[in-house]
Amino acid sequence: MPPLLTLAITKVALGLSRRLGRGSGTALPGLLAERLDPHLARKLASSLPNGIILVTGTNGKTTTTKMIAAMLEASGERVLTNRAGSNLKRGVVSALIEAASVRGRVSATIGLFEVDEASLRLVAPDLQPRQIVVTNLFRDQLDRYGELDTTAALIGQGIAATTAHLYLNADDPLVASLAKYAAPERVSYYGIEGLPAQAATAQTASDSDRCPLCGARLRFSRTFYGHLGHYRCPTGDFGRPQPSVAVTSVEQANLEGSSFTLAVNGKRQVLRLPLPGTYNLYNALAALSLAAGLGINAGVVARSLAETGAAFGRVERVELQGRHLYLLLIKNPAGFTQILETFLLSQKSAHVLFIINDNYADGRDVSWLWDVPLEALAPNRPTVWTAGVRGADMALRLHYAGISATVQSNTAEALRRLVASTPAGGTAFILPTYTAMLELRQILAKQTTLQEAGV
């Protein structure tokens, strides 16, 4: 089918989907395009003069992409990105279709897309990105991805089909090993050299503690969280690469964010990040590594980072009836544990609501809840509620952690009870899975200024 005809049909589908109230239409046009013209995305992307950047990995894709977008826009680029977070191939294609004129031209100067780990092999060959950023690899939705070696191999297929420059997390052994899919001159690394002792509690078991080459157990001299840290193989055939962009020290860290010293090829700069947690520090590092590679002005980068706001559901704060509610998306053990360490353990008097679903986008298997060290929450923890399709499962996990939780039949009632029990001016935390977050935002959108979709 001629590309302009496919484009016209998919644009009509996008408009109809929105008029019928079926979400933002972020997937339907791409789904149609895959059937009518599988290479439409390549044709549309070719009109972007500065090419395509792809961001993938288990945790941090959305936040890292948002940071990069801000830096690019501040440097004068017109950025096309999948802000709604639809990161399968059809979502990326839909973003291109929406941005294209009826003649197939995209007015943006550069494309920036977060891409699902298993979808990179489908997206990258078609779009031929100039840069690929990989954040980390943790166990996530085993029913979809399988074990980490499988996920890494899928990402490797996508990388191998391009000539992109890679920006890899040196502190993640599997991510660092992805360098084998590209020539050495096309690989840059980022990592952390030092953190305050209290920031490196590392309560989770390691997801990736084996050498990617020989399978021997890696030796870690430092661990920042999960399996991210400084490592080497005892056989000497693999070790942490030296990052060219690194955090050398963290001067201040609290719930309002952190101040840290960044070294880019040895040149140091103090930066401010208004998002808390070691995991957000890694997200910032990924964005800063790419910015350094693109040659974005250091002052522009610093200002953009200092103005970073929370991405959809990632440390968003909303005011409701005089209470401060934090929305903290959870989806796997590593991310959940970082939320636990960063927020819940430092605010033990705050009430908590867990909303757990097991829809396809959440992952059907919720056994990962048992891999989170929730026992640390037990001392002096006030009332806890659970809701969602698997709210009872969450309550059972909390019970075995020594925490009493009340299961609510629906999210609206759970939210009402959470707010009613929180003192005026007080803080409460809501930890939902992805589809639970969508439902929660629909409820909050009617009572606050929060938008339903993360756009």
Side-chain angles (χ1 to χ4, degrees):
M1 181 176 290
L4 292 184
L5 180 56
T6 300
L7 182 60
I9 293 172
T10 53
K11 277 187 166 292
V12 169
L14 175 65
L16 285 175
S17 178
R18 288 180 172 170
R19 288 182 183 179
L20 291 173
R22 295 178 180 176
S24 58
T26 55
L28 180 59
L31 181 62
L32 284 174
E34 286 178 12
R35 305 205 174 177
L36 299 176
D37 184 354
H39 299 299
L40 179 63
R42 177 186 302 175
K43 297 164 187 173
L44 296 178
S46 65
S47 66
L48 293 166
N50 294 329
I52 298 284
I53 301 167
L54 300 182
V55 179
T56 194
T58 305
N59 294 333
K61 294 186 293 292
T62 302
T63 301
T64 300
T65 300
K66 184 174 182 179
M67 290 177 178
I68 294 171
M71 294 174 187
L72 290 172
E73 289 168 351
S75 66
E77 296 278 8
R78 298 191 305 277
V79 182
L80 169 60
T81 186
N82 49 343
R83 296 185 191 276
S86 185
N87 60 23
L88 301 179
K89 182 180 180 182
R90 63 193 60 171
V92 174
V93 176
S94 292
L96 283 161
I97 289 169
E98 182 177 10
S101 69
V102 292
R103 295 186 177 276
R105 301 292 298 176
V106 179
S107 61
T109 58
I110 194 167
L112 168 64
F113 303 107
E114 67 162 281
V115 181
D116 171 87
E117 305 93 288
S119 296
L120 187 75
R121 65 189 178 92
L122 305 175
V123 174
D126 216 28
L127 295 189
Q128 285 298 307
R130 296 184 188 180
Q131 295 87 18
I132 296 176
V133 180
V134 187
T135 59
N136 49 62
L137 286 173
F138 288 103
R139 285 181 298 129
D140 184 39
Q141 297 191 34
L142 295 179
D143 52 317
R144 288 185 58 208
Y145 298 119
E147 292 296 338
L148 282 184
D149 288 345
T150 302
T151 306
L154 293 175
I155 294 176
Q157 290 177 31
I159 292 171
T162 75
T163 58
H165 192 100
L166 306 183
Y167 295 87
L168 304 178
N169 187 344
D171 297 346
D172 187 317
L174 265 183
V175 171
S177 74
L178 294 173
K180 65 187 177 186
Y181 294 101
E185 64 271 14
R186 292 195 287 112
V187 181
S188 298
Y189 298 99
Y190 60 90
I192 292 177
E193 297 298 339
L195 280 181
Q198 65 269 23
T201 55
Q203 295 191 43
T204 47
S206 176
D207 284 350
S208 179
D209 62 354
R210 297 283 179 174
C211 174
L213 300 184
C214 71
R217 189 176 296 278
L218 294 169
R219 293 177 180 171
F220 284 80
S221 59
R222 299 202 68 182
T223 305
F224 299 124
Y225 82 90
H227 58 261
L228 304 189
H230 297 185
Y231 54 85
R232 64 179 179 85
C233 177
T235 66
D237 59 0
F238 183 75
R240 175 183 182 260
Q242 185 62 39
S244 57
V245 176
V247 169
T248 58
S249 63
V250 176
E251 282 69 42
Q252 183 181 14
N254 52 42
L255 287 187
E256 301 303 316
S258 62
S259 294
F260 62 94
T261 298
L262 181 78
V264 179
N265 296 316
K267 186 176 181 180
R268 296 175 186 269
Q269 179 183 14
V270 177
L271 298 174
R272 171 70 185 167
L273 173 66
L275 297 177
T278 304
Y279 65 105
N280 275 318
L281 195 59
Y282 271 109
N283 294 337
L285 257 177
L288 291 165
S289 179
L290 176 70
L294 295 178
I296 299 177
N297 178 271
V300 169
V301 168
R303 289 191 296 274
S304 298
L305 192 68
E307 296 171 359
T308 296
F312 169 63
R314 283 82 169 173
V315 201
E316 283 184 297
R317 179 171 147 167
V318 60
E319 306 298 315
L320 179 61
Q321 298 178 26
R323 280 76 171 173
H324 313 302
L325 306 182
Y326 280 88
L327 311 186
L328 306 167
L329 180 70
I330 56 173
K331 61 176 185 172
N332 54 47
F336 196 159
T337 301
Q338 278 293 289
I339 296 294
L340 174 70
E341 293 185 358
T342 303
F343 295 93
L344 305 191
L345 294 185
S346 65
Q347 301 283 318
K348 289 202 170 185
S349 62
H351 299 315
V352 183
L353 166 60
F354 299 96
I355 315 175
I356 310 299
N357 284 350
D358 64 350
N359 297 315
Y360 178 76
D362 306 295
R364 299 290 191 185
D365 182 359
V366 297
S367 63
W368 61 272
L369 296 172
W370 293 84
D371 296 329
V372 181
L374 288 163
E375 287 73 14
L377 273 181
N380 304 317
R381 173 54 59 188
T383 307
V384 174
W385 289 269
T386 67
V389 178
R390 303 299 286 268
D393 295 77
M394 186 68 219
L396 179 64
R397 171 67 187 99
L398 290 166
H399 170 75
Y400 276 94
I403 302 167
S404 177
T406 303
V407 182
Q408 296 299 310
S409 59
N410 62 76
T411 297
E413 178 61 17
L415 177 63
R416 188 190 71 77
R417 288 179 177 269
L418 177 72
V419 172
S421 68
T422 301
T427 295
F429 298 110
I430 306 177
L431 282 68
T433 56
Y434 182 73
T435 64
M437 173 65 77
L438 298 179
E439 179 189 7
L440 177 65
R441 294 180 77 94
Q442 288 180 334
I443 297 169
L444 288 172
K446 298 174 183 177
Q447 306 176 55
T448 71
T449 57
L450 192 70
Q451 296 181 342
E452 287 188 31
V455 295

